Amino acid sequence: MNFPYGGRLHAMPQEGAPALQARNLRVTYPGAERSALEDVSLAVEHGEKVALIGPNGAGKSTLIKAVAGLIAPDSGQILVYGNRVGACHHRTAYVPQRGEVRWNFPVTVEQAVMMGRYAHLGWLKRPGAKDRAAVSRALEAMNLLPLSGQQVGNLSGGQQQRVMLARALAQESDLLLLDEPLNNVDVRTQALIFDILDQLAIEGKTIIVSTHDLGTLEAEFRRAIFLDRAVVADGPVQQVINPDLLARAYGFQPHICPPEPEAFEVEFQR
Ligand code: ADP
Ligand code: MG
């Protein structure tokens, strides 16, 4: 019997398979003129912490959602620990970009974090001691214990971001997909997040973090994947963030600057 909302579908990892393998992925949104992702292939090994970078609209969120099983690719294949997406939902935790979450949902911080446990429980079972312990650990790790009874809608942006991370931690997944988790958080929280991610990577968890904050890259990541609909570069951070590539991706290209204002005027008068 098939229980799509967790609890039963716990396919075991395939021996020797990478944590994530994507092959020739193409994703096109309905009605879109061109694909958001085109021929994306990549592999991420167990215990890696990888930055997913690229300009706005590059397809970072789309890739993360496809790996989380929220978007079906038009073609290509995604394997998570060697299994197709969805064969084991509890092994993958997804933290959406903050703007994509409906924060007016009437739940407390503790309840929101407990939702991370439903991948294990299924919706019908009541949380047990193990679930409550995982939630407490996650709340403590993200410094949320003092806020645990508050409504999530009343929190600041940074606090809400910590709630989403705590929910992912409580899930105790092997693959963490974090979409722009550093937005809205202060420097102290950023340091806290990176400490936790490093600890998880040491434990063998695999972490993919999308970010447009290139400032943190060299200090916090060894590997970066530069996405711009396709994989533009993939490798050690120092190589991936070379000036030519950044110029191309972020539009800073002196040789295609618009003409000087005088030139415009001359053109116009003719
Ligand atoms: P990024 O996260 O790198 O900013 P996205 O994955 O959000 O990029 O978006 C990639 C492209 O797909 C963009 O052109 C965006 O406008 C488009 N897109 C994203 N979500 C949708 C959607 N739900 N429907 C249609 N187009 C979308
Ligand atoms: Mg995005």
Side-chain angles (χ1 to χ4, degrees), residues 115-180:
M115 287 175 192
R117 298 300 301 171
Y118 285 103
H120 299 271
L121 284 167
W123 288 108
L124 301 177
K125 265 178 138 180
R126 294 176 68 80
K130 196 171 161 218
D131 303 301
R132 283 192 296 275
V135 168
S136 292
R137 279 196 300 275
L139 288 169
E140 190 175 2
M142 292 314 304
N143 279 340
L144 285 169
L145 280 175
L147 298 176
S148 61
Q150 297 238 4
Q151 292 291 314
V152 291
N154 296 338
L155 304 181
S156 72
Q159 288 167 338
Q160 290 175 343
Q161 190 69 62
R162 280 192 279 146
V163 171
M164 294 304 287
L165 283 159
R167 189 179 79 154
L169 293 179
Q171 196 179 327
E172 297 181 324
S173 296
D174 297 324
L175 175 63
L176 279 95
L177 307 168
L178 313 180
D179 201 355
E180 306 268 4

Side-chain angles (χ1 to χ4, degrees), residues 60-61 97 179-180:
K60 302 182 294 295
S61 297
Q97 231 170 303
D179 201 355
E180 306 268 4

Side-chain angles (χ1 to χ4, degrees), residues 23-105:
R23 290 196 196 109
N24 311 109
L25 276 191
R26 176 197 295 269
V27 175
T28 315
Y29 288 104
E33 273 177 26
R34 55 179 206 169
S35 306
L37 297 178
E38 211 161 89
D39 206 23
V40 168
S41 296
L42 52 90
V44 180
E45 291 300 333
H46 300 216
E48 273 197 285
K49 184 182 68 166
V50 180
L52 184 62
I53 61 171
N56 252 336
K60 302 182 294 295
S61 297
T62 302
L63 176 59
I64 285 178
K65 285 178 197 167
V67 175
L70 300 170
I71 292 180
D74 320 347
S75 55
Q77 189 187 40
I78 305 173
L79 296 175
V80 177
Y81 297 97
N83 296 310
R84 63 177 177 75
V85 171
C88 188
H89 271 309
H90 87 295
R91 219 176 289 287
T92 303
Y94 163 61
V95 175
Q97 231 170 303
R98 206 184 70 87
E100 296 191 15
V101 180
R102 281 176 40 226
W103 290 103
N104 54 6
F105 208 69

